[in-house]
Amino acid sequence: MLRWLSIPLAVPALLAVLDGDDPVPFLIAIAVAIASGLALEQLSEDRELGQRESFLMVALTWLGVASVGAIPFLFAGAGSAGESAFTGLINTPINAFFESMSGLTTTGATVMETWDFNNQPRSLLLWRQLIQWLGGLGILIVAIGLLSHLMVGGAQLMETESQTRNVRKLRPHISETARLIWGLYVGLTLLAVVVFYGLHLLGVADEMNLFNAVSHALTSVATAGFSPEGDSIAAFSPIVQWSIIPFMILGSTNFVLLYYITQGEFERPLQSEELRFYLGALALFSAIVVGILAFDVDLDLGIEPTIRHGVFNVVSLVTTTGYASMDFNHWSTGARHVLFLCMFIGGMAGSTTCSIKSLRWLVVLKAFKRNLFTAIHPEAVRPLRVSGSVVDEETVNDIFGYVLLAIVIFFGLTVLLVVDAARAGTDVSEFGALGAAASIFMNIGPAFELAGPMGNYNGFSAFSRSVMIVMMWIGRIEIVPVLVLLLPAYWRS
């Protein structure tokens, strides 16, 4: 993985040369990627992944790629002659690693100020977009090829919801499955580029030039959220904001279902109970937020802007994309609290999205409903079904355990942020800490107050940002692959 990272790194290096900027930061990263990748390959002749090796591979791949990906950010402030090529907030070790991990985990949280975007070369801004696109592709392959096999937090249910007996055998080998997913992912990205840039050519989106079209296509499909614009999607016209919504939804849809749609098997998505639940959640929360905004006399947005901003920001947070069409820090308390709840939903299993995911919430709600029924009828035997298939009790328990663990870690991170803010003298309220903790651990991106959609995380202390780096990593790879490595039994077995 590290060795092949040199290929996408070459893209911003080439852009730096074309723009007359310094390509050295990218060349250093390419050299490190190739050298470390080749060195690691010498450690073993065995290329087969057992279950123990799979956990280690998932955890260390994200950590290793994020480390190499931080190099361009770290060296971005020094030209080849030792002179400062541009100034910024990301060329310190912690901030560079934060930006890289945020990108690779498709979190979209940044340490950059709004004004800082104008000081960065296009090559570095493109790398921010590319590393998110790579992270979205990576989690797709890991989720479909490994996590369902490792049965992490009920991920094995993806086979039920995709109406496939074994999602790892869409093709005979995982490499072929990866190529299949790669094709879908690239196809969606190219379609987004055509749509976004097409709006520019039609004269209805002057600010959506080719660079912006490519940049936002990369992060819309990856449900990632980085933008080369300091004002995020608020920098673009309403038609652009509407056009991004479908790609956020598609990126957070099970890619196995999308594959079957490309094969003309339209009945399979219709059989997915998770898809209906997910789209229903989007519609419900959008309606609630639009309703709250409509009665907010302080905003007085008008009919179309109220609907657009309500729907856009709900879809952005539910899909964990993290784009913002306006600064929702200025919304009413009720609207902001609904957005806070949206952070915990997530898209479908087998998608680029993060958070707890709709499939787990569907099982939790069905199990709760069943428990209410059996409380009234204790002799009844009522198996839990999803999309018509029975879910075994072990899987239900796995999901309950995962959701509980995620909530416990979230509250623990919240307490840590509050305590550390008091120690460092940072102005972070309880709600601000709750939002930041949810956004970081659920890999959303923007939060509220200090870390709002037009703000950043640089205001948190260095210690808090270091902890956030770890939390983004753990949250992105579904908690278990990291926690397993902490068990002494893992290393003794």
Side-chain angles (χ1 to χ4, degrees):
M1 294 292 290
L2 288 175
R3 184 183 62 177
W4 289 107
L5 185 62
S6 59
I7 295 178
L9 277 165
V11 177
L14 178 61
L15 181 60
V17 172
L18 294 176
D19 285 352
D21 295 315
D22 186 7
V24 169
F26 304 102
L27 298 179
I28 294 174
I30 290 172
V32 172
I34 294 175
S36 57
L38 292 176
L40 286 170
E41 282 189 340
Q42 305 307 311
L43 294 180
S44 175
E45 294 293 332
D46 187 6
R47 296 291 184 262
E48 295 297 321
L49 286 178
Q51 185 158 348
R52 292 173 65 243
E53 292 81 8
S54 296
F55 279 117
L56 189 64
M57 177 266 191
V58 170
L60 294 189
T61 295
W62 255 255
L63 195 60
V65 172
S67 299
V68 176
I71 293 175
F73 300 121
L74 183 62
F75 290 98
S80 59
E83 297 179 357
S84 177
F86 44 85
T87 60
L89 300 171
I90 56 177
N91 53 348
T92 64
I94 291 178
N95 282 357
F97 199 18
F98 184 101
E99 203 78 6
S100 181
M101 183 64 78
S102 177
L104 188 67
T105 57
T106 69
T107 303
T110 185
V111 292
M112 293 173 60
E113 297 279 359
T114 302
W115 54 263
D116 196 32
F117 286 83
N118 296 325
N119 295 332
Q120 307 297 343
R122 292 198 306 167
S123 55
L124 193 68
L125 295 176
L126 179 61
W127 176 238
R128 289 175 81 245
Q129 308 302 109
L130 272 174
I131 198 170
Q132 290 211 306
W133 189 81
L134 294 172
L137 175 63
I139 201 62
L140 275 176
I141 295 172
V142 166
I144 293 174
L146 289 175
L147 292 182
S148 61
H149 172 61
L150 297 175
M151 297 183 290
V152 173
Q156 62 270 38
L157 272 186
M158 186 168 57
E159 297 178 2
T160 298
E161 274 305 283
S162 60
Q163 305 298 316
T164 307
R165 289 187 177 183
N166 192 332
V167 297
R168 291 176 291 113
K169 293 184 178 179
L170 287 171
R171 291 291 184 266
H173 303 288
I174 189 173
S175 60
E176 294 184 30
T177 301
R179 283 195 290 270
L180 175 69
I181 297 302
W182 160 269
L184 281 171
Y185 194 65
V186 171
L188 269 180
T189 305
L190 292 177
L191 177 61
V193 173
V194 170
V195 170
F196 298 160
Y197 192 56
L199 294 175
H200 174 78
L201 295 178
L202 291 173
V204 293
D206 293 339
E207 63 284 349
M208 187 57 77
N209 54 42
L210 183 59
F211 178 78
N212 272 331
V214 172
S215 297
H216 291 90
L218 292 173
T219 52
S220 295
V221 174
T223 61
F226 273 163
S227 171
E229 299 290 337
D231 290 332
S232 189
I233 307 304
F236 299 95
S237 61
I239 188 64
V240 171
Q241 296 172 14
W242 281 116
S243 68
I244 287 175
I245 292 174
F247 289 102
M248 292 192 289
I249 295 175
L250 287 172
S252 56
T253 301
N254 189 327
F255 267 61
V256 178
L257 293 181
L258 295 181
Y259 163 74
Y260 285 123
I261 290 176
T262 64
Q263 303 303 303
E265 300 183 41
F266 300 106
E267 72 282 356
R268 288 186 185 252
L270 297 177
Q271 296 168 359
S272 172
E273 198 169 353
E274 184 197 8
L275 179 61
R276 296 195 295 271
F277 176 85
Y278 162 59
L279 294 178
L282 286 176
L284 175 62
F285 281 93
S286 294
I288 293 173
V289 171
V290 169
I292 295 174
L293 295 181
F295 290 97
D296 190 340
V297 295
D298 292 330
L299 284 178
D300 192 23
L301 295 173
I303 297 177
E304 188 275 335
T306 296
I307 297 174
R308 170 165 43 87
H309 291 306
V311 172
F312 185 96
N313 289 285
V314 166
V315 171
S316 178
L317 294 186
V318 169
T319 63
T320 73
T321 306
Y323 281 148
S325 61
M326 69 176 297
D327 189 354
F328 47 70
N329 264 333
H330 301 304
W331 290 6
S332 67
T333 302
R336 287 185 286 119
H337 278 74
V338 174
L339 291 183
F340 173 69
L341 294 177
C342 289
M343 293 180 174
F344 294 87
I345 300 174
M348 297 181 68
S351 69
T352 63
T353 192
C354 314
S355 194
I356 293 176
K357 292 189 173 68
S358 297
L359 181 57
R360 293 190 178 103
W361 286 122
L362 177 62
V363 172
V364 167
L365 292 175
K366 280 179 167 285
F368 181 68
K369 180 180 178 181
R370 181 185 64 173
N371 291 345
L372 290 178
F373 181 85
T374 55
I376 303 171
H377 307 284
E379 302 301 323
V381 177
R382 195 178 178 93
L384 193 151
R385 298 177 183 273
V386 174
S387 297
S389 300
V390 175
V391 180
D392 64 80
E393 293 305 311
E394 182 180 356
T395 301
V396 175
N397 291 335
D398 285 346
I399 290 174
F400 269 112
Y402 181 91
V403 174
L404 177 61
L405 182 60
I407 297 300
V408 168
I409 293 175
F410 154 69
F411 277 117
L413 179 57
T414 300
V415 172
L416 185 146
L417 293 180
V418 170
V419 172
D420 189 57
R423 177 198 63 82
T426 306
D427 185 19
V428 178
S429 69
E430 287 80 1
F431 184 65
L434 284 166
S439 186
I440 287 294
F441 184 59
M442 303 297 171
N443 305 111
I444 309 294
F448 306 99
E449 299 177 0
L450 183 67
M454 306 306 166
N456 61 79
Y457 287 81
N458 198 51
F460 289 87
S461 72
F463 175 75
S464 288
R465 278 176 279 134
S466 299
V467 173
M468 288 176 180
I469 292 171
V470 177
M471 289 297 104
M472 286 189 284
W473 173 48
I474 294 176
R476 173 72 275 191
I477 56 178
E478 310 255 304
I479 305 173
V480 176
V482 174
L483 297 187
V484 162
L485 303 184
L486 302 180
L487 297 176
Y490 171 85
W491 301 100
R492 290 198 299 265
S493 61

